[in-house]
């Protein structure tokens, strides 16, 4: 997969993130893979009742924003979570 496709697939689902990590262009789409990983891990807090649901909606909006950024070929950080770097 090329850089753009890898970035888009990473935001779609957990399976898409794994596919992007294994089969995609890791170096080219490293920014989007990292952001998708942070968003999906932060989204796990959505299982907490009430407050977690609001957080899950925020994470979903961040995933949509990140996917749109990947579609446009830009590297825009999502709010709050975009500054966290898990992959080097």
């Amino acid at each position: 997969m090329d850089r753009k496709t890898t970035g888009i697939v990473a935001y779609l689902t957990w399976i898409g993130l794994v596919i992007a990590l294994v089969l995609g262009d890791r170096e080219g789409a490293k920014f989007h893979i990292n952001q998708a990983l942070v968003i999906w891990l932060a989204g796990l807090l959505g299982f907490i009742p009430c407050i977690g649901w609001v957080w899950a909606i925020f994470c979903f909006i961040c995933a949509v924003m990140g996917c749109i950024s990947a579609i446009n070929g830009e590297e825009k950080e999502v709010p709050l979570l975009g500054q966290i770097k898990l992959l080097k």
Side-chain angles (χ1 to χ4, degrees), residues 7 10-12 14 17 21 29-43 59 61-70 74-87:
Y11 289 107
L12 296 180
W14 275 101
L17 180 62
L21 281 169
K30 186 173 161 182
F31 176 82
H32 290 294
I33 292 173
N34 181 64
Q35 280 209 149
L37 179 62
V38 170
I39 291 169
W40 290 116
L41 288 175
C59 288
I61 291 169
C62 285
V64 170
M65 289 173 58
C67 190
I68 290 171
S69 173
E74 301 170 344
E75 291 189 355
K76 289 184 180 177
E77 292 183 348
V78 294
L80 293 176
L81 303 174
Q83 299 172 353
I84 302 171
K85 305 289 185 235
L86 295 177
L87 299 176

Side-chain angles (χ1 to χ4, degrees), residues 7 10 30 41 48 54-55 57 60 73 75 82 84:
K30 186 173 161 182
L41 288 175
I48 300 170
V54 175
W55 182 254
I57 292 169
F60 175 75
E75 291 189 355
I84 302 171

Side-chain angles (χ1 to χ4, degrees), residues 6 16-24 26 33 37 87:
T6 303
L17 180 62
V18 172
I19 290 170
L21 281 169
V22 175
L23 300 175
R26 280 189 73 193
I33 292 173
L37 179 62
L87 299 176

